[in-house]
Amino acid sequence: MTSVLSDKLSSGPKGLGDPEDRTLRRVEKEILIPKIMRDKARTEKCTDFVKAFNDCCKENSILLVLKCRTENSRMKACLTDWYNNQHFRHQCEDIYLNQRSEYRRTGIKAQ
C-alpha cells in the first residue's frame, strides 16, 4: 500500500516515522518547540515573576490592568529573555526530538 506521506514520515517500527530522524519540520520549529519553551520558562525559569503577576491579578481583579503593569512587564521580560536564549532553545529542541523519537519508536505519546 502506498502512502501520501513521505517515507521519512511513515517509516519506522510503528509506521510513525524514523525514530532516529533529527530533522525538524516548519510546524515543529515555529509552533511545537516554542510551546515547550513557553511552558518551561513559565514553570521553571520565571516562576517568581509569574507568581507575582498571578498574585497581583487575584488581589486587584477588575483593576489588574492598571495595578499589575510592573509585574506584567517583569514577567514578560523574563519570558522574552528565555525565549531568545539560543542555548535554552536547543535544550527544548532536544526535549522535543527525544519525545518524538520515543513516540515513533513505541507509538505512545509522552505525558
Side-chain angles (χ1 to χ4, degrees):
M1 182 169 104
T2 61
S3 173
V4 293
L5 297 173
S6 72
D7 286 339
K8 188 163 73 171
L9 297 175
S10 63
S11 64
K14 300 286 184 182
L16 300 169
D18 179 9
E20 303 307 318
D21 178 28
R22 304 286 287 177
T23 59
L24 292 167
R25 295 176 296 147
R26 185 174 176 184
V27 69
E28 294 168 325
K29 289 179 190 175
E30 295 177 4
I31 297 171
L32 299 175
I33 292 170
K35 180 184 182 311
I36 292 172
M37 292 174 71
R38 279 190 305 275
D39 293 345
K40 285 185 73 61
R42 262 186 207 283
T43 60
E44 296 176 16
K45 305 295 185 182
C46 300
T47 54
D48 294 338
F49 297 111
V50 171
K51 183 181 179 333
F53 178 69
N54 287 337
D55 291 345
C56 182
C57 290
K58 287 176 188 173
E59 292 170 10
N60 297 292
S61 61
I62 295 174
L63 299 174
L64 72 95
V65 173
L66 299 173
K67 301 250 181 179
C68 300
R69 285 183 182 165
T70 302
E71 290 83 353
N72 187 33
S73 295
R74 289 178 182 156
M75 180 184 72
K76 284 169 55 175
C78 180
L79 294 172
T80 301
D81 286 346
W82 283 105
Y83 192 75
N84 292 325
N85 183 313
Q86 290 304 308
H87 180 68
F88 182 61
R89 180 174 191 78
H90 291 301
Q91 286 178 329
C92 293
E93 282 178 9
D94 286 341
I95 289 168
Y96 174 77
L97 288 169
N98 291 337
Q99 289 174 348
R100 185 183 74 179
S101 178
E102 187 64 20
Y103 170 70
R104 288 179 172 182
R105 193 181 294 55
T106 64
I108 300 169
K109 287 189 177 187
Q111 296 295 330

